[in-house]
């Protein structure tokens, strides 16, 4: 029998790609998402790989609903081995145009949704002293950008909560792993259904990566834990550059941070958004940027194969040391 894995935000985007990745590798999956239609499609796709799948319409901002979903999954599939927190909701808007309810809702889904997921997972994993939790972070958990204050604030908060919990797990000597996978710009439907108050259609800042890349990294982190996995060179660059010159990055984003995230197309004023209610429709893992999205990331490759790469580097180093020693007759 395969591992039992819970995935939030499973109906579309990175969550949907993650469902496919775990199911393809023989894991039974419990899917949490708000839209019953997409949830049913994701369940059917997972079952096509010969695994068991349960879909539960769930708003992750509701802690009681998350707890009830976890209980139902264990009743139907068995003990939860892995919990993956992917669900998010956001607003593209200057802070001056945000309402308190929009900030509250975006934070509740993106930040508290992961907190409630971690808590539900821990209630079950702690007594068994085993399990893995994978949280989906972002380069924007380290370097904020204009127009995404709600999302950036929530991702910063997830990083803080995760680090605190990790220390507690280590203190209690629990055999529970906790990993964070930090994403770059990904080709998902969020750029079409996130609440947009800018007046122009939103887009990810290139280079853009396909959702299967983070899905593979999430799967790997579940069974080969890394404290953190950075996906894509833009993520590495954003995190390290902000450590070196945050003030310079502030000024750069003040001039380039708007245009990089917006197209020249006008956004319909009445476009549906998924902040408070799910947007129905046949959305899948991918957004509208397939033509320009990348399917590989060398950062993920090096993380997955770091032992082999270190071994290779050691062999090369010994070879050159040997050559040097022969030259100087050591």
């Amino acid at each position: 029998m395969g591992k039992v894995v819970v995935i939030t935000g499973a109906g579309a985007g990175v969550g949907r790609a993650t469902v496919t990745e775990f199911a393809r590798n023989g894991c039974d999956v419990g899917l949490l998402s708000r839209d019953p239609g997409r949830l049913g499609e994701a369940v059917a796709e997972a079952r096509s790989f010969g695994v068991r799948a349960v879909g539960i319409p769930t708003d992750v901002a509701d802690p009681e609903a998350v707890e009830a979903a976890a209980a139902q999954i264990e009743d139907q599939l068995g003990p939860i081995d892995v919990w993956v927190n992917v669900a998010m909701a956001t607003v593209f808007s200057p802070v001056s145009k945000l309402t308190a309810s929009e900030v509250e809702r975006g934070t509740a889904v993106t930040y508290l949704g992961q907190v409630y997921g971690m808590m539900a997972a821990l209630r079950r994993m702690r007594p068994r002293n085993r399990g893995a939790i994978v949280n989906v972070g972002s380069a924007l958990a380290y370097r904020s950008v204009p127009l995404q204050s709600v999302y950036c604030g929530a991702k910063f908060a997830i990083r803080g909560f995760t680090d605190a919990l990790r220390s507690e797990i280590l203190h209690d000597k629990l055999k529970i792993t906790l990993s964070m996978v930090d994403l770059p710009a990904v080709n998902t439907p969020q750029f079409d259904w996130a609440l947009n108050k800018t007046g122009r259609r939103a887009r990810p800042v290139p280079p853009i990566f396909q959702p299967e890349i983070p899905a593979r990294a999430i799967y790997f982190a579940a069974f080969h834990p890394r404290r953190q996995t950075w996906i894509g060179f833009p993520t590495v660059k954003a995190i390290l550059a902000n450590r070196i010159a945050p003030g310079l990055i502030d000024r750069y984003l003040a001039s380039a941070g708007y245009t990089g995230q917006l197209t020249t197309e006008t956004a319909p004023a009445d476009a549906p958004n998924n902040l408070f209610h799910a947007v129905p429709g046949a959305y899948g893992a991918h957004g509208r940027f397939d033509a320009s999205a990348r399917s590989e990331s060398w950062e993920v490759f090096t993380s997955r194969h770091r032992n082999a790469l270190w071994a290779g580097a050691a062999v090369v180093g010994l070879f050159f040391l040997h050559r040097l020693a022969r030259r100087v007759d050591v």
Side-chain angles (χ1 to χ4, degrees):
M1 184 178 295
K3 300 289 186 179
V4 175
V5 182
V6 176
I7 302 160
T8 74
V14 171
R16 179 67 175 271
T18 302
V19 170
T20 302
E21 183 67 17
F22 277 95
R24 185 174 63 83
N25 283 281
C27 296
D28 298 322
V29 288
L31 285 59
L32 277 58
S33 180
R34 286 184 297 173
D35 183 74
R38 282 193 298 276
L39 199 56
E41 293 169 0
V43 165
E45 181 183 11
R47 288 175 178 169
S48 72
F49 292 99
V51 303
R52 297 179 299 161
V54 175
I56 305 172
T58 307
D59 183 348
V60 296
D62 180 346
E64 294 181 358
V66 174
E67 177 63 24
Q72 183 177 338
I73 288 167
E74 291 217 324
D75 286 343
Q76 295 186 238
L77 299 181
I80 295 168
D81 298 294
V82 179
W83 188 291
V84 182
N85 287 306
V86 187
M88 55 80 66
T90 191
V91 186
F92 288 96
S93 174
V95 173
S96 60
K97 293 184 178 180
L98 289 170
T99 67
S101 62
E102 290 164 354
V103 175
E104 180 180 22
R105 175 61 183 172
T107 303
V109 175
T110 307
Y111 168 53
L112 292 179
Q114 292 215 22
V115 170
Y116 300 150
M118 284 184 268
M119 294 171 70
L122 282 169
R123 288 189 192 100
R124 289 153 180 84
M125 294 176 180
R126 178 180 281 272
R128 297 191 284 261
N129 196 25
R130 62 179 174 83
I133 300 172
V134 183
N135 292 334
V136 172
S138 172
L140 303 188
Y142 300 82
R143 171 64 253 181
S144 294
V145 296
L147 303 180
Q148 293 202 56
S149 56
V150 174
Y151 182 82
C152 293
K155 289 296 184 180
F156 267 81
I158 291 165
R159 184 161 64 93
F161 193 97
T162 300
D163 288 348
L165 175 57
R166 184 181 292 109
S167 292
E168 293 178 11
I169 289 172
L170 292 170
H171 174 270
D172 295 341
K173 296 180 172 57
L174 296 173
K175 296 178 182 178
I176 298 171
T177 63
L178 181 59
S179 302
M180 178 166 279
V181 177
D182 292 311
L183 273 54
V186 182
N187 175 30
T188 70
Q190 71 157 314
F191 299 94
D192 287 323
W193 67 20
L195 177 59
N196 186 340
K197 305 178 85 171
T198 68
R200 291 159 59 186
R201 293 187 82 186
R203 67 179 181 184
V205 177
I208 307 165
F209 295 83
Q210 295 288 27
E212 287 77 14
I213 296 175
R216 292 196 295 268
I218 290 166
Y219 175 82
F220 188 79
F223 302 114
H224 305 84
R226 302 284 189 269
R227 186 181 190 278
Q228 292 172 292
T229 300
W230 294 348
I231 298 178
F233 184 65
T235 300
V236 177
K237 181 170 61 175
I239 293 171
L240 297 182
N242 192 62
R243 291 178 180 175
I244 297 168
L248 183 63
I249 305 301
D250 290 341
R251 288 169 175 78
Y252 169 76
L253 289 172
S255 61
Y258 279 62
T259 55
Q261 298 183 79
L262 301 174
T263 71
T264 58
E265 302 170 80
T266 300
D270 59 348
N273 70 82
N274 75 335
L275 186 60
F276 294 99
H277 305 285
V279 175
Y283 294 95
H286 291 211
R288 67 178 190 272
F289 304 97
D290 277 335
S292 56
R294 301 180 180 183
S295 298
E296 298 294 338
S297 164
W298 68 265
E299 291 80 11
V300 174
F301 177 85
T302 55
S303 179
R304 294 177 64 180
H305 303 283
R306 66 181 183 181
N307 291 337
L309 291 170
W310 276 115
V315 170
V316 172
L318 288 172
F319 171 78
F320 282 107
L321 283 174
H322 177 69
R323 292 285 300 273
L324 179 62
R326 292 185 62 183
R327 285 177 176 271
V328 297
D329 294 324
V330 174

PDB file of all heavy atoms in Angstrom, residues 42-68:
ATOM      1  N   ALA A  42      -9.734  16.157 -10.487  1.00  0.00           N
ATOM      2  CA  ALA A  42      -8.425  15.794  -9.940  1.00  0.00           C
ATOM      3  C   ALA A  42      -8.456  14.402  -9.325  1.00  0.00           C
ATOM      4  O   ALA A  42      -7.500  13.626  -9.454  1.00  0.00           O
ATOM      5  CB  ALA A  42      -7.984  16.830  -8.905  1.00  0.00           C
ATOM      6  N   VAL A  43      -9.542  14.067  -8.647  1.00  0.00           N
ATOM      7  CA  VAL A  43      -9.694  12.730  -8.064  1.00  0.00           C
ATOM      8  C   VAL A  43      -9.690  11.673  -9.160  1.00  0.00           C
ATOM      9  O   VAL A  43      -9.024  10.632  -9.052  1.00  0.00           O
ATOM     10  CB  VAL A  43     -10.982  12.646  -7.220  1.00  0.00           C
ATOM     11  CG1 VAL A  43     -11.335  11.193  -6.913  1.00  0.00           C
ATOM     12  CG2 VAL A  43     -10.832  13.435  -5.929  1.00  0.00           C
ATOM     13  N   ALA A  44     -10.435  11.928 -10.239  1.00  0.00           N
ATOM     14  CA  ALA A  44     -10.496  10.969 -11.344  1.00  0.00           C
ATOM     15  C   ALA A  44      -9.123  10.771 -11.972  1.00  0.00           C
ATOM     16  O   ALA A  44      -8.730   9.634 -12.296  1.00  0.00           O
ATOM     17  CB  ALA A  44     -11.498  11.449 -12.394  1.00  0.00           C
ATOM     18  N   GLU A  45      -8.386  11.860 -12.138  1.00  0.00           N
ATOM     19  CA  GLU A  45      -7.040  11.748 -12.709  1.00  0.00           C
ATOM     20  C   GLU A  45      -6.133  10.937 -11.797  1.00  0.00           C
ATOM     21  O   GLU A  45      -5.373  10.071 -12.259  1.00  0.00           O
ATOM     22  CB  GLU A  45      -6.443  13.134 -12.936  1.00  0.00           C
ATOM     23  CG  GLU A  45      -5.054  13.080 -13.563  1.00  0.00           C
ATOM     24  CD  GLU A  45      -4.427  14.452 -13.712  1.00  0.00           C
ATOM     25  OE1 GLU A  45      -4.946  15.428 -13.152  1.00  0.00           O
ATOM     26  OE2 GLU A  45      -3.374  14.530 -14.368  1.00  0.00           O
ATOM     27  N   ALA A  46      -6.203  11.191 -10.493  1.00  0.00           N
ATOM     28  CA  ALA A  46      -5.362  10.444  -9.549  1.00  0.00           C
ATOM     29  C   ALA A  46      -5.695   8.956  -9.604  1.00  0.00           C
ATOM     30  O   ALA A  46      -4.795   8.101  -9.623  1.00  0.00           O
ATOM     31  CB  ALA A  46      -5.546  10.989  -8.137  1.00  0.00           C
ATOM     32  N   ARG A  47      -6.970   8.631  -9.629  1.00  0.00           N
ATOM     33  CA  ARG A  47      -7.377   7.216  -9.645  1.00  0.00           C
ATOM     34  C   ARG A  47      -6.949   6.516 -10.929  1.00  0.00           C
ATOM     35  O   ARG A  47      -6.793   5.285 -10.949  1.00  0.00           O
ATOM     36  CB  ARG A  47      -8.888   7.114  -9.462  1.00  0.00           C
ATOM     37  CG  ARG A  47      -9.343   7.455  -8.042  1.00  0.00           C
ATOM     38  CD  ARG A  47     -10.853   7.464  -7.916  1.00  0.00           C
ATOM     39  NE  ARG A  47     -11.278   7.744  -6.540  1.00  0.00           N
ATOM     40  CZ  ARG A  47     -12.523   8.019  -6.178  1.00  0.00           C
ATOM     41  NH1 ARG A  47     -13.482   8.063  -7.118  1.00  0.00           N
ATOM     42  NH2 ARG A  47     -12.816   8.266  -4.915  1.00  0.00           N
ATOM     43  N   SER A  48      -6.750   7.283 -11.997  1.00  0.00           N
ATOM     44  CA  SER A  48      -6.313   6.671 -13.253  1.00  0.00           C
ATOM     45  C   SER A  48      -4.917   6.062 -13.132  1.00  0.00           C
ATOM     46  O   SER A  48      -4.522   5.243 -13.963  1.00  0.00           O
ATOM     47  CB  SER A  48      -6.327   7.710 -14.383  1.00  0.00           C
ATOM     48  OG  SER A  48      -5.272   8.653 -14.221  1.00  0.00           O
ATOM     49  N   PHE A  49      -4.170   6.446 -12.093  1.00  0.00           N
ATOM     50  CA  PHE A  49      -2.854   5.857 -11.844  1.00  0.00           C
ATOM     51  C   PHE A  49      -2.951   4.614 -10.966  1.00  0.00           C
ATOM     52  O   PHE A  49      -1.928   4.050 -10.571  1.00  0.00           O
ATOM     53  CB  PHE A  49      -1.933   6.887 -11.186  1.00  0.00           C
ATOM     54  CG  PHE A  49      -1.549   8.027 -12.086  1.00  0.00           C
ATOM     55  CD1 PHE A  49      -2.207   9.246 -12.017  1.00  0.00           C
ATOM     56  CD2 PHE A  49      -0.528   7.876 -13.025  1.00  0.00           C
ATOM     57  CE1 PHE A  49      -1.853  10.298 -12.841  1.00  0.00           C
ATOM     58  CE2 PHE A  49      -0.168   8.918 -13.857  1.00  0.00           C
ATOM     59  CZ  PHE A  49      -0.837  10.134 -13.768  1.00  0.00           C
ATOM     60  N   GLY A  50      -4.159   4.204 -10.618  1.00  0.00           N
ATOM     61  CA  GLY A  50      -4.353   2.998  -9.839  1.00  0.00           C
ATOM     62  C   GLY A  50      -4.246   3.186  -8.342  1.00  0.00           C
ATOM     63  O   GLY A  50      -4.110   2.205  -7.601  1.00  0.00           O
ATOM     64  N   VAL A  51      -4.320   4.436  -7.871  1.00  0.00           N
ATOM     65  CA  VAL A  51      -4.239   4.697  -6.436  1.00  0.00           C
ATOM     66  C   VAL A  51      -5.617   5.091  -5.910  1.00  0.00           C
ATOM     67  O   VAL A  51      -6.536   5.395  -6.673  1.00  0.00           O
ATOM     68  CB  VAL A  51      -3.222   5.818  -6.121  1.00  0.00           C
ATOM     69  CG1 VAL A  51      -1.846   5.462  -6.664  1.00  0.00           C
ATOM     70  CG2 VAL A  51      -3.687   7.177  -6.687  1.00  0.00           C
ATOM     71  N   ARG A  52      -5.750   5.094  -4.604  1.00  0.00           N
ATOM     72  CA  ARG A  52      -6.982   5.564  -3.981  1.00  0.00           C
ATOM     73  C   ARG A  52      -6.925   7.084  -3.853  1.00  0.00           C
ATOM     74  O   ARG A  52      -5.868   7.669  -3.572  1.00  0.00           O
ATOM     75  CB  ARG A  52      -7.159   4.939  -2.601  1.00  0.00           C
ATOM     76  CG  ARG A  52      -7.299   3.421  -2.624  1.00  0.00           C
ATOM     77  CD  ARG A  52      -7.437   2.877  -1.218  1.00  0.00           C
ATOM     78  NE  ARG A  52      -6.274   3.190  -0.404  1.00  0.00           N
ATOM     79  CZ  ARG A  52      -6.247   3.176   0.927  1.00  0.00           C
ATOM     80  NH1 ARG A  52      -7.346   2.882   1.608  1.00  0.00           N
ATOM     81  NH2 ARG A  52      -5.135   3.468   1.597  1.00  0.00           N
ATOM     82  N   ALA A  53      -8.058   7.735  -4.059  1.00  0.00           N
ATOM     83  CA  ALA A  53      -8.115   9.193  -3.964  1.00  0.00           C
ATOM     84  C   ALA A  53      -9.447   9.618  -3.371  1.00  0.00           C
ATOM     85  O   ALA A  53     -10.493   9.074  -3.721  1.00  0.00           O
ATOM     86  CB  ALA A  53      -7.921   9.840  -5.338  1.00  0.00           C
ATOM     87  N   VAL A  54      -9.388  10.584  -2.468  1.00  0.00           N
ATOM     88  CA  VAL A  54     -10.580  11.141  -1.834  1.00  0.00           C
ATOM     89  C   VAL A  54     -10.530  12.658  -1.980  1.00  0.00           C
ATOM     90  O   VAL A  54      -9.515  13.280  -1.647  1.00  0.00           O
ATOM     91  CB  VAL A  54     -10.640  10.766  -0.336  1.00  0.00           C
ATOM     92  CG1 VAL A  54     -11.825  11.458   0.335  1.00  0.00           C
ATOM     93  CG2 VAL A  54     -10.730   9.263  -0.162  1.00  0.00           C
ATOM     94  N   GLY A  55     -11.582  13.255  -2.482  1.00  0.00           N
ATOM     95  CA  GLY A  55     -11.668  14.703  -2.612  1.00  0.00           C
ATOM     96  C   GLY A  55     -12.681  15.274  -1.641  1.00  0.00           C
ATOM     97  O   GLY A  55     -13.815  14.798  -1.585  1.00  0.00           O
ATOM     98  N   ILE A  56     -12.273  16.284  -0.883  1.00  0.00           N
ATOM     99  CA  ILE A  56     -13.156  16.877   0.115  1.00  0.00           C
ATOM    100  C   ILE A  56     -13.208  18.391  -0.102  1.00  0.00           C
ATOM    101  O   ILE A  56     -12.198  19.077   0.100  1.00  0.00           O
ATOM    102  CB  ILE A  56     -12.655  16.573   1.548  1.00  0.00           C
ATOM    103  CG1 ILE A  56     -12.493  15.064   1.737  1.00  0.00           C
ATOM    104  CG2 ILE A  56     -13.619  17.145   2.579  1.00  0.00           C
ATOM    105  CD1 ILE A  56     -11.825  14.687   3.038  1.00  0.00           C
ATOM    106  N   PRO A  57     -14.356  18.928  -0.530  1.00  0.00           N
ATOM    107  CA  PRO A  57     -14.462  20.382  -0.674  1.00  0.00           C
ATOM    108  C   PRO A  57     -14.173  21.057   0.666  1.00  0.00           C
ATOM    109  O   PRO A  57     -14.863  20.816   1.656  1.00  0.00           O
ATOM    110  CB  PRO A  57     -15.907  20.587  -1.116  1.00  0.00           C
ATOM    111  CG  PRO A  57     -16.307  19.283  -1.744  1.00  0.00           C
ATOM    112  CD  PRO A  57     -15.592  18.232  -0.950  1.00  0.00           C
ATOM    113  N   THR A  58     -13.130  21.882   0.699  1.00  0.00           N
ATOM    114  CA  THR A  58     -12.655  22.455   1.959  1.00  0.00           C
ATOM    115  C   THR A  58     -12.129  23.854   1.735  1.00  0.00           C
ATOM    116  O   THR A  58     -11.337  24.100   0.810  1.00  0.00           O
ATOM    117  CB  THR A  58     -11.519  21.593   2.560  1.00  0.00           C
ATOM    118  OG1 THR A  58     -11.942  20.234   2.651  1.00  0.00           O
ATOM    119  CG2 THR A  58     -11.123  22.091   3.938  1.00  0.00           C
ATOM    120  N   ASP A  59     -12.542  24.772   2.588  1.00  0.00           N
ATOM    121  CA  ASP A  59     -11.943  26.102   2.656  1.00  0.00           C
ATOM    122  C   ASP A  59     -10.874  26.034   3.737  1.00  0.00           C
ATOM    123  O   ASP A  59     -11.178  25.915   4.920  1.00  0.00           O
ATOM    124  CB  ASP A  59     -13.004  27.141   3.012  1.00  0.00           C
ATOM    125  CG  ASP A  59     -12.451  28.561   3.036  1.00  0.00           C
ATOM    126  OD1 ASP A  59     -11.216  28.734   3.001  1.00  0.00           O
ATOM    127  OD2 ASP A  59     -13.265  29.509   3.113  1.00  0.00           O
ATOM    128  N   VAL A  60      -9.601  26.110   3.357  1.00  0.00           N
ATOM    129  CA  VAL A  60      -8.528  25.922   4.335  1.00  0.00           C
ATOM    130  C   VAL A  60      -8.461  27.054   5.362  1.00  0.00           C
ATOM    131  O   VAL A  60      -7.769  26.926   6.374  1.00  0.00           O
ATOM    132  CB  VAL A  60      -7.159  25.761   3.643  1.00  0.00           C
ATOM    133  CG1 VAL A  60      -7.124  24.504   2.796  1.00  0.00           C
ATOM    134  CG2 VAL A  60      -6.793  26.998   2.835  1.00  0.00           C
ATOM    135  N   ALA A  61      -9.175  28.153   5.118  1.00  0.00           N
ATOM    136  CA  ALA A  61      -9.232  29.236   6.104  1.00  0.00           C
ATOM    137  C   ALA A  61     -10.149  28.893   7.271  1.00  0.00           C
ATOM    138  O   ALA A  61     -10.220  29.648   8.244  1.00  0.00           O
ATOM    139  CB  ALA A  61      -9.699  30.529   5.439  1.00  0.00           C
ATOM    140  N   ASP A  62     -10.847  27.773   7.183  1.00  0.00           N
ATOM    141  CA  ASP A  62     -11.745  27.313   8.235  1.00  0.00           C
ATOM    142  C   ASP A  62     -11.069  26.167   8.979  1.00  0.00           C
ATOM    143  O   ASP A  62     -10.986  25.048   8.465  1.00  0.00           O
ATOM    144  CB  ASP A  62     -13.065  26.840   7.616  1.00  0.00           C
ATOM    145  CG  ASP A  62     -14.071  26.346   8.644  1.00  0.00           C
ATOM    146  OD1 ASP A  62     -13.693  26.099   9.806  1.00  0.00           O
ATOM    147  OD2 ASP A  62     -15.251  26.182   8.280  1.00  0.00           O
ATOM    148  N   PRO A  63     -10.557  26.392  10.189  1.00  0.00           N
ATOM    149  CA  PRO A  63      -9.806  25.338  10.888  1.00  0.00           C
ATOM    150  C   PRO A  63     -10.635  24.103  11.182  1.00  0.00           C
ATOM    151  O   PRO A  63     -10.120  22.977  11.146  1.00  0.00           O
ATOM    152  CB  PRO A  63      -9.344  26.025  12.186  1.00  0.00           C
ATOM    153  CG  PRO A  63     -10.269  27.183  12.368  1.00  0.00           C
ATOM    154  CD  PRO A  63     -10.640  27.623  10.993  1.00  0.00           C
ATOM    155  N   GLU A  64     -11.916  24.283  11.475  1.00  0.00           N
ATOM    156  CA  GLU A  64     -12.771  23.125  11.746  1.00  0.00           C
ATOM    157  C   GLU A  64     -12.960  22.279  10.492  1.00  0.00           C
ATOM    158  O   GLU A  64     -13.012  21.040  10.567  1.00  0.00           O
ATOM    159  CB  GLU A  64     -14.111  23.582  12.309  1.00  0.00           C
ATOM    160  CG  GLU A  64     -14.007  24.236  13.687  1.00  0.00           C
ATOM    161  CD  GLU A  64     -15.353  24.664  14.228  1.00  0.00           C
ATOM    162  OE1 GLU A  64     -16.362  24.486  13.517  1.00  0.00           O
ATOM    163  OE2 GLU A  64     -15.391  25.162  15.371  1.00  0.00           O
ATOM    164  N   ALA A  65     -13.056  22.941   9.345  1.00  0.00           N
ATOM    165  CA  ALA A  65     -13.201  22.206   8.087  1.00  0.00           C
ATOM    166  C   ALA A  65     -11.929  21.431   7.765  1.00  0.00           C
ATOM    167  O   ALA A  65     -11.994  20.290   7.276  1.00  0.00           O
ATOM    168  CB  ALA A  65     -13.527  23.179   6.955  1.00  0.00           C
ATOM    169  N   VAL A  66     -10.777  22.025   8.017  1.00  0.00           N
ATOM    170  CA  VAL A  66      -9.503  21.333   7.774  1.00  0.00           C
ATOM    171  C   VAL A  66      -9.382  20.111   8.679  1.00  0.00           C
ATOM    172  O   VAL A  66      -8.993  19.021   8.248  1.00  0.00           O
ATOM    173  CB  VAL A  66      -8.317  22.286   7.978  1.00  0.00           C
ATOM    174  CG1 VAL A  66      -6.983  21.538   7.878  1.00  0.00           C
ATOM    175  CG2 VAL A  66      -8.354  23.421   6.955  1.00  0.00           C
ATOM    176  N   GLU A  67      -9.728  20.279   9.959  1.00  0.00           N
ATOM    177  CA  GLU A  67      -9.668  19.173  10.912  1.00  0.00           C
ATOM    178  C   GLU A  67     -10.630  18.051  10.506  1.00  0.00           C
ATOM    179  O   GLU A  67     -10.273  16.858  10.557  1.00  0.00           O
ATOM    180  CB  GLU A  67     -10.001  19.679  12.311  1.00  0.00           C
ATOM    181  CG  GLU A  67     -10.044  18.620  13.385  1.00  0.00           C
ATOM    182  CD  GLU A  67      -8.727  17.919  13.614  1.00  0.00           C
ATOM    183  OE1 GLU A  67      -7.668  18.507  13.291  1.00  0.00           O
ATOM    184  OE2 GLU A  67      -8.730  16.775  14.103  1.00  0.00           O
ATOM    185  N   ALA A  68     -11.830  18.413  10.097  1.00  0.00           N
ATOM    186  CA  ALA A  68     -12.803  17.409   9.675  1.00  0.00           C
ATOM    187  C   ALA A  68     -12.331  16.671   8.425  1.00  0.00           C
ATOM    188  O   ALA A  68     -12.512  15.450   8.304  1.00  0.00           O
ATOM    189  CB  ALA A  68     -14.157  18.071   9.415  1.00  0.00           C
TER     190      ALA A  68
END
